[in-house]
Amino acid sequence: MNLIKFLTNWEYRHFKNKLRGVERMISDLVFKRFKTGEIREQVRQEYDNHKARLSSTEERLKTEEDSKLKDDKVILEREIGRLEAQMKQMDLDIFGSKPTDEYHNGLEGINHQIDALQELKVMVREYIKGL
């Protein structure tokens, strides 16, 4: 860092601070992507467990007629649907979506935000060099 520029040029200081802020935002988003991925993995494991329980419940229903088993099957199917929706939402949070009927303008995911901030970081660095 050029100390004289830092001490005398307010614009230089401003954009150095802006660059630090962009780097911090990138770090925050990388952390958010990591934690979202971890949570998604936990939900996926729960989803797999529910699918296995549903399969065994359906097998038992073939051999025995029990209203409790039917109730369990309905509950498991509802849970599986909820977990699928959660995983889909987390995938959208991370990867975003192109424009679709559901998302007319598309969705910007965490990965897109990180990429945009990386580009901004390069632009700010180039601007600082010109000061």
Side-chain angles (χ1 to χ4, degrees), residues 27-44:
S27 295
D28 289 345
L29 287 171
V30 168
F31 173 73
K32 183 177 179 182
R33 179 178 59 188
F34 172 75
K35 290 309 287 181
T36 302
E38 274 189 342
I39 292 168
R40 188 196 185 286
E41 179 60 22
Q42 291 171 351
V43 170
R44 187 199 59 78

Side-chain angles (χ1 to χ4, degrees), residues 19-30:
L19 182 60
R20 276 189 229 105
V22 169
E23 289 169 343
R24 288 180 180 132
M25 288 173 63
I26 291 170
S27 295
D28 289 345
L29 287 171
V30 168

Side-chain angles (χ1 to χ4, degrees), residues 35-41 43 83 85-95:
K35 290 309 287 181
T36 302
E38 274 189 342
I39 292 168
R40 188 196 185 286
E41 179 60 22
V43 170
L83 293 170
Q86 266 186 313
M87 288 189 298
K88 181 181 177 191
Q89 184 59 47
M90 285 184 239
D91 288 341
L92 286 173
D93 289 345
I94 293 173
F95 302 109

Side-chain angles (χ1 to χ4, degrees), residues 66-120:
D66 186 3
S67 63
K68 172 125 176 53
L69 286 176
K70 289 179 184 176
D71 292 343
D72 287 348
K73 180 182 175 189
V74 170
I75 290 169
L76 286 170
E77 287 171 341
R78 190 176 318 133
E79 266 307 291
I80 288 169
R82 184 185 65 79
L83 293 170
E84 283 175 346
Q86 266 186 313
M87 288 189 298
K88 181 181 177 191
Q89 184 59 47
M90 285 184 239
D91 288 341
L92 286 173
D93 289 345
I94 293 173
F95 302 109
S97 171
K98 293 182 179 182
T100 61
D101 291 337
E102 190 175 353
Y103 307 105
H104 299 294
N105 297 329
L107 285 178
E108 187 176 86
I110 295 171
N111 287 342
H112 296 103
Q113 293 173 10
I114 291 171
D115 292 342
L117 287 171
Q118 292 287 7
E119 291 175 18
L120 177 62

